[in-house]
Amino acid sequence: MLSAPVRRILAAVTLPAILALSSCTAGPGQAIHVRQVAAGQPSPATPSPTPSTSPSPTAKPAPGSLAWYVSQVPTFPEAPPPQPVQLPATGPAPIWHRLPTDQKVAFITIDDGGLARPPAVPDFIWQAHIPVTMFLNSPAAEEHDVYFRQIEVAGGVVENHTIRHTSLPGRSYDHQKQEICGAADKLEALFGKRPTLFRPPFGEHDTTTLQAAHDCGAKAVFHWSETVHEGKVRYQTPEKVVHPGDVLLMHFRPALMDDLLAALKAIHRAGLTPALLEDYVR
Ligand SMILES: [Zn+2]
């Protein structure tokens, strides 16, 4: 996570201002753009703060407002410099429930995209510097590309979750490749970057899935370690704690603001820092 001075710099720049500044609308430059601002580059000459994002120092934000959500985000320890994991040199893509790392980080992933897209989420992700990976179905990404591009500008990364979100195991290689490569092609055309990670619908896969994912450009396939729904974290292990490398799954659903906040608090309780999956799988 970023230091306090950087946080203040970023807080002064609203997401719409960044979007207006950004001449290109897609591509790997987006993440770099955010880093350039974070590194202390000149902020926009005329940032356009809105009341909801720039409360007076003494005002308490109204519960449920964007400012309130931002105020509830814990302060995290500095994330360690990422050490990318070892990937197999050949063969199908590996499947992981959690990233094989001992580094004190955990990862937030958001799936699907067709059901609901709470409007405050892009600004929340931007203002609170929440690293997110979005596993999108390509038709939803195409229909709502402006929304997902806003999250991309805020630092999020788009990855692959097939076209039709149907169960893959037992289907032919050609069928699975069409679902995975077809989505990858569309997402690459929309966002200017070919997905490098894949999550199968419902987490269901067979060996054909892993081979097809590899052949469509995926370096790794991800299941998950915890799920988050309606502001509650559900653990898959009895000790109910987030472990280093854990991958938290949530969805583009109406309670996504609460889900993001619950995930951040759970990661903080575990003494970990949220990090970007793509920094560890290269
Ligand atoms: Zn899904």
Side-chain angles (χ1 to χ4, degrees):
M1 300 299 276
L2 299 168
S3 63
V6 172
R7 183 177 293 271
R8 277 197 293 277
I9 291 167
L10 288 169
V13 183
T14 63
L15 186 56
I18 290 297
L19 284 169
L21 271 180
S22 184
S23 56
C24 63
T25 54
Q30 300 295 17
I32 293 166
H33 185 81
V34 171
R35 285 195 198 106
Q36 283 171 341
V37 174
Q41 292 286 313
S43 58
T46 52
S48 51
T50 60
S52 65
T53 56
S54 299
S56 76
T58 54
K60 275 194 176 172
S65 65
L66 172 61
W68 180 84
Y69 278 101
V70 173
S71 75
Q72 297 300 299
V73 173
T75 300
F76 290 94
E78 194 84 20
Q83 296 168 355
V85 297
Q86 193 80 36
L87 293 166
T90 58
I95 171 122
W96 287 317
H97 291 258
R98 81 160 51 102
L99 192 80
T101 180
D102 294 329
Q103 291 201 277
K104 296 184 78 174
V105 291
F107 305 97
I108 294 176
T109 62
I110 317 173
D111 279 18
D112 300 351
L115 183 66
R117 290 157 305 282
V121 164
D123 270 325
F124 186 31
I125 288 171
W126 167 249
Q127 292 189 23
H129 319 296
I130 309 169
V132 299
T133 296
M134 300 175 276
F135 288 97
L136 300 181
N137 299 120
S138 54
E142 184 172 26
E143 188 175 352
H144 307 287
D145 63 319
V146 172
Y147 181 84
F148 298 115
R149 202 162 281 136
Q150 285 179 336
I151 297 179
E152 201 185 32
V153 170
V157 179
V158 171
E159 301 290 3
N160 188 352
H161 196 43
T162 74
I163 303 174
R164 282 171 289 191
H165 205 283
T166 52
S167 184
L168 296 177
R171 305 299 300 265
S172 69
Y173 174 81
D174 285 348
H175 174 90
Q176 297 201 38
K177 190 178 176 196
Q178 164 57 23
E179 276 290 324
I180 301 170
C181 279
D185 292 345
K186 175 59 76 177
L187 293 169
E188 181 177 10
L190 286 169
F191 300 100
K193 168 197 160 293
R194 191 167 186 83
T196 57
L197 306 179
F198 175 66
R199 174 172 280 151
F202 319 107
E204 297 173 353
H205 67 279
D206 59 13
T207 52
T208 304
T209 312
L210 303 183
Q211 187 60 53
H214 169 269
D215 296 346
C216 295
K219 295 176 179 173
V221 176
F222 278 93
H223 204 262
W224 53 86
S225 332
E226 286 87 27
T227 60
V228 192
H229 182 47
E230 295 185 338
K232 288 202 176 68
V233 179
R234 290 178 171 80
Y235 296 87
Q236 321 238 330
T237 52
E239 70 262 40
K240 294 188 187 295
V241 65
V242 180
H243 293 93
D246 272 7
V247 177
L248 290 86
L249 164 68
M250 60 194 71
H251 292 82
F252 283 97
R253 287 177 180 156
L256 182 52
M257 295 286 283
D258 296 313
D259 293 347
L260 285 166
L261 189 56
L264 291 169
K265 287 181 173 178
I267 292 169
H268 183 258
R269 273 197 302 276
L272 307 177
T273 299
L276 189 66
L277 208 42
E278 285 76 3
D279 287 339
Y280 289 76
V281 184
R282 293 180 183 159

